[in-house]
Amino acid sequence: MRNLKRIVLCGLLLAGGLGLSAAGAGGAAAAREGRGDVVAVQRLRPLDTAEAARAELAGAEFDTGTVRFGVDMFQIVYRTVDPTGKPTIASGLLALPRSGERQLRVVSYAHGTELNRTDAPSMWRDGWSVGPAITYASAGFAAVAPDYLGMGLGPGPHPYLHLPSETTASVDLLRAARAVAVEQGRALRREVYVTGFSQGGSAATALGKALQSGADDWFRLGALAPVSGAYDLRNVELKALLTTVEWPYNLGYLGYLATAWSRLHDLPTFFDPKYAGRVESLYDGVHTGQDLGETLPGSPAELFSQEGLALLGTPSGRFAAALAEHDASCTGYRSPVPTRLFAARTDEQVPVANSEHCAAVLRAPVVDTGTQEYQGSVHLGSNIAGTAQAVRWFLQLS
């Protein structure tokens, strides 16, 4: 998930305001009305040399030990579908190594919880948002990082922790990235190394499951290495958020889930009437973690109604069914590819039991990311440490 105290930029940025250029007329994909078709591409600031990539990573406290190349960065706007299956657009990031290699292995990285849409990877607001993509690209991979629906340049509210739309957004970005790579004289290989952090951990396991099931005609799952995911919302994460995770993270995540899932799954409001409108309006992609922290009360008992608190504690009905859908990203299959789950044993926001439960089903090891902190958080530090461990493992597999 994310540091809710971080101050981020406000303001809804629309595609028309960023100088996006339409995809070239020579690309047949841009002319079709299909999922993964490229709508627009913006070349972002290049990291011309390996030294420039190291500097960008070091500034965000990411490991620089695997940097070999400079990186070219592209913001892609592409066609996908919303949670109801209707056509929409989303944005995402493609990072290509300046390696001279034409055939590139692919890493798909799914980011953690963000409140403000400008913190999505393709917006490149700071080194944190692009650190994993730069890590993988500077090591020689083509890195693809979806913003998710409603983040970056995508319209509408973000369907938080909604795995079906996180999966379609991820698959369709892979298709769009493949087309953009061709225009750059590069080719993306079929095998995708799938990873992601926190919210992106379960997005990664869901994408891996989809690729294994044939979600795309070209791409297939090559390896799976999610970091610190909340894979078991019902039995682990919800209980932790209600009992042990400290303020403001507990209420911030619970409020995000309650706001998004009431809309997605036609659930009654979870909130106490004193807070319902005030808190729900803050999960619009425009407000910040600081805004949320200034609005939240001190405890779940204050934020939620008695009925809402009871439903969070003992899920039933449509809420229980939605939790089962989310938690199924780790069930029903044994990963046929190399798989590792990375997690911190002392994570203060996403207990390691999430990873242990998922790993038991996938029959994969849980690799400890240690006690590294970022902004005082072991959870955030696990993104940095897990990325460093995952890229080295991917290099061994290549």
Side-chain angles (χ1 to χ4, degrees):
M1 297 183 177
R2 248 330 234 128
N3 188 341
L4 295 175
K5 294 180 181 177
R6 195 178 95 173
I7 300 175
V8 294
L9 295 177
C10 292
L12 179 60
L13 300 181
L14 301 178
L18 289 182
L20 294 175
S21 60
R32 297 194 307 270
E33 296 288 333
R35 286 179 46 188
D37 286 357
V38 176
V39 175
V41 180
Q42 173 73 30
R43 183 185 288 271
L44 304 178
R45 173 172 60 89
L47 300 172
D48 295 325
T49 64
E51 288 72 21
R54 288 191 190 95
E56 189 73 23
L57 290 174
E61 301 182 31
F62 278 82
D63 181 79
T64 62
T66 58
V67 174
R68 296 171 56 206
F69 308 107
V71 179
D72 289 314
M73 311 275 276
F74 303 87
Q75 181 186 60
I76 304 173
V77 180
Y78 61 99
R79 300 189 189 280
T80 186
V81 291
D82 70 12
T84 68
K86 295 180 180 178
T88 188
I89 62 169
S91 56
L93 179 70
L94 170 65
L96 298 175
R98 292 194 161 195
S99 61
E101 183 72 26
R102 185 176 182 278
Q103 299 279 339
L104 298 173
R105 290 191 180 273
V106 183
V107 174
S108 177
Y109 170 83
H111 67 80
T113 301
E114 299 289 0
L115 291 175
N116 189 288
R117 62 177 58 242
T118 66
D119 283 325
S122 82
M123 306 300 281
W124 196 350
R125 201 186 70 80
D126 58 18
W128 170 270
S129 64
V130 296
I134 293 174
T135 297
Y136 294 117
S138 66
F141 298 97
V144 178
D147 292 339
Y148 306 142
L149 298 183
M151 300 295 286
L153 299 180
H158 170 49
Y160 183 56
L161 288 177
H162 183 250
L163 294 190
S165 63
E166 289 172 356
T167 300
T168 52
S170 298
V171 171
D172 293 341
L173 178 59
L174 284 169
R175 294 166 175 160
R178 186 183 178 200
V180 173
V182 168
E183 293 186 351
Q184 300 303 313
R186 319 296 282 275
L188 303 188
R189 299 180 64 171
R190 299 189 69 183
E191 297 80 10
V192 181
Y193 295 163
V194 175
T195 183
F197 165 67
S198 196
Q199 175 187 357
S202 54
T205 52
L207 174 60
K209 192 172 183 178
L211 291 176
Q212 181 191 348
S213 301
D216 185 74
D217 292 338
W218 175 253
F219 292 108
R220 63 190 181 196
L221 182 62
L224 184 62
V227 180
S228 301
Y231 314 103
D232 194 343
L233 274 182
R234 175 161 187 163
N235 298 305
V236 177
E237 192 60 30
L238 272 182
K239 292 178 180 179
L241 291 173
L242 290 170
T243 58
T244 61
V245 176
E246 294 184 354
W247 188 93
Y249 309 110
N250 57 345
L251 299 192
Y253 298 142
L254 286 171
Y256 210 164
L257 179 72
T259 298
W261 282 27
S262 291
R263 180 177 60 251
L264 289 165
H265 303 292
D266 192 25
L267 302 173
T269 182
F270 287 78
F271 297 107
D272 183 279
K274 297 193 299 291
Y275 289 99
R278 292 166 57 194
V279 172
E280 289 168 341
S281 67
L282 296 180
Y283 294 102
D284 59 359
V286 178
H287 287 85
T288 70
Q290 183 181 18
D291 296 331
L292 194 61
E294 292 172 352
T295 304
L296 292 171
S299 70
E302 295 175 80
L303 180 60
F304 299 105
S305 66
Q306 291 185 357
E307 295 79 8
L309 200 59
L311 187 58
L312 289 169
T314 308
S316 61
R318 289 192 296 272
F319 183 49
L323 288 169
E325 178 184 59
H326 176 278
D327 295 347
S329 76
C330 285
T331 63
Y333 77 112
R334 177 181 177 182
S335 177
V337 300
T339 300
R340 292 183 180 181
L341 280 73
F342 295 92
R345 296 287 173 186
T346 57
D347 193 316
E348 80 285 0
Q349 297 179 38
V350 180
V352 70
N354 280 286
S355 294
E356 292 171 340
H357 291 186
C358 183
V361 176
L362 297 180
R363 302 184 186 180
V366 177
V367 179
D368 188 7
T369 59
T371 59
Q372 180 172 350
E373 295 185 1
Y374 179 75
Q375 296 184 354
S377 168
V378 172
H379 179 61
L380 296 183
S382 72
N383 187 28
I384 295 172
T387 296
Q389 291 171 308
V391 70
R392 286 171 170 82
W393 185 53
F394 289 160
L395 287 168
Q396 293 174 9
L397 297 175
S398 299

